[in-house]
Amino acid sequence: MTDTQTPVRSAPAPVRRRSKRVSRPSALYLLPALVFFGIFAALPLVLVLYLSFTDWTGVGTPGLIGLDNWIRLFQNQAIWDVTWTTLLLTALCWATQTPMAILIGVWAAGEQRNRAVLSALFFLPLLLSTAAIALLYNRLFDPYLGIGRGFEPLRNILGTTSGAITAIVIVVGWQFIPFHTLLYQAAARNIPKVLYDAATVDGAGRWHMFWYVTLPQLRNTVVTSSTIMIVGSLTYFETIFLLTNGGPASSTRTLPLEMYFRGFKQYEFGFASAIGSVLVIVATAISLLIVRFSGFGKMRSTLEGL
């Protein structure tokens, strides 16, 4: 009787999986954008920063004077007053435009009757130029020929500090709220309907749905819109220049307007370049702070938590 032994089978060799290479576009595709950014953004910024260390009147060769313009900038009380006015207008524009843009954007994303027609009429200011809008409202606020002629509270709206600031906020909001409304409208349309269905089952009303469902889903859009709005408010020029020209007195003079007066009225291009450099630094710092403290950089999707 012979013993039969079962042959020992060796373990199968591990299967080597081929790693899939992710094809990425060549870095050369970035070259046109980098060249465009370098010529029209980076190079002008470098030149402005260089001019801020010079004493240049716009004619001849700029002469280096070191930090004189910067020291003068921070020691000038008028510049601090102008900076306060700039920050005040920025805060007021954000505080008025953001709530209205959110409410109108959420409404425009619905299915109300005639919504498309009303939205199209509301977005018309986006088609007009800033200069045309400023001139239009300058005539409307004229104390003798405008709407204030028969309504005393608006008769001298551009003649007082509070009235002029209010007028600027109204004009800027009338022009730019439609743009931010478009952002919120697009974001509101992308909110999953299942969230509202779940809120309805839980017995939530319309206000609770807006506060606990819509607003949290618009978080990314609020950060984006606020960044655009704040940085844009810091650089408003045409509206203020044509509407109030910095008046009455210098109560509505902002940093961009002060930069214009210093450069093209007093021919202090070196000092004006220092003001422009401060504007770039402040706008960049505010943008980074918004992204940092809002957690925008860590967001991966508007549908977090689903």
Side-chain angles (χ1 to χ4, degrees):
M1 186 174 180
T2 59
D3 296 334
T4 58
Q5 296 180 354
T6 304
V8 179
R9 295 181 179 179
S10 59
V15 179
R16 295 181 179 179
R17 296 182 178 180
R18 296 181 180 179
S19 59
K20 295 182 179 180
R21 295 182 178 179
V22 179
S23 59
R24 296 180 179 178
S26 173
L28 292 177
Y29 287 101
L30 294 175
L31 187 60
L34 291 177
V35 171
F36 184 86
F37 178 81
I39 294 176
F40 296 101
L43 181 60
L45 287 177
V46 173
L47 292 176
V48 168
L49 186 61
Y50 166 75
L51 289 176
S52 67
F53 298 101
T54 66
D55 183 15
W56 189 44
T57 61
V59 180
T61 303
L64 291 173
I65 58 173
L67 296 175
D68 290 356
N69 285 327
W70 290 88
I71 296 174
R72 179 186 168 195
L73 180 68
F74 289 104
Q75 292 180 348
N76 194 326
Q77 183 59 40
I79 298 299
W80 286 107
D81 294 339
V82 168
T83 303
W84 164 250
T85 303
T86 305
L87 296 177
L88 176 62
L89 284 173
T90 300
L92 290 176
C93 288
W94 180 86
T96 54
Q97 292 182 42
T98 299
M100 294 184 66
I102 291 176
L103 293 175
I104 299 174
V106 172
W107 171 83
E111 300 178 353
Q112 298 88 349
R113 181 177 298 179
N114 300 326
R115 173 189 52 80
V117 176
L118 295 176
S119 298
L121 294 176
F122 177 73
F123 296 144
L124 282 179
L126 287 175
L127 305 177
L128 303 177
S129 68
T130 303
I133 292 175
L135 291 174
L136 171 65
Y137 274 92
N138 182 271
R139 296 297 180 266
L140 287 176
F141 292 143
D142 188 276
Y144 302 104
L145 303 175
I147 58 177
R149 181 178 56 179
F151 186 58
E152 191 61 30
L154 295 178
R155 183 174 180 82
N156 195 30
I157 187 172
L158 297 180
T160 63
T161 299
S162 58
I165 291 178
T166 302
I168 293 173
V169 173
I170 292 174
V171 175
V172 172
W174 187 79
Q175 180 180 11
F176 291 106
I177 284 178
F179 170 77
H180 297 280
T181 298
L182 283 176
L183 300 180
Y184 289 113
Q185 180 185 15
R189 287 181 175 176
N190 287 326
I191 299 177
K193 191 175 181 297
V194 64
L195 296 178
Y196 295 105
D197 295 338
T200 303
V201 172
D202 291 339
R206 181 172 298 181
W207 167 251
H208 289 86
M209 288 185 185
F210 174 78
W211 189 258
Y212 294 106
V213 177
T214 304
L215 278 184
Q217 292 298 314
L218 295 178
R219 180 184 176 187
N220 291 14
T221 309
V222 171
V223 175
T224 303
S225 174
S226 298
T227 303
I228 297 173
M229 193 181 300
I230 292 175
V231 174
S233 299
L234 290 173
T235 58
Y236 285 152
F237 173 76
E238 306 100 307
T239 301
I240 302 175
F241 178 70
L242 296 173
L243 186 63
T244 66
N245 198 29
S250 59
S251 58
T252 59
R253 185 176 293 192
T254 58
L255 283 173
L257 199 60
E258 181 71 16
M259 179 176 62
Y260 167 79
F261 285 132
R262 295 282 183 170
F264 294 96
K265 294 291 185 180
Q266 302 178 20
Y267 302 102
E268 298 178 355
F269 286 95
F271 190 70
S273 298
I275 297 176
S277 301
V278 170
L279 269 175
V280 173
I281 294 172
V282 171
T284 304
I286 291 178
S287 301
L288 294 177
L289 288 175
I290 291 175
V291 173
R292 173 67 178 84
F293 290 103
S294 64
F296 183 79
K298 298 179 181 179
M299 297 179 189
R300 294 293 180 266
S301 172
T302 57
L303 306 181
E304 291 182 359
L306 293 181

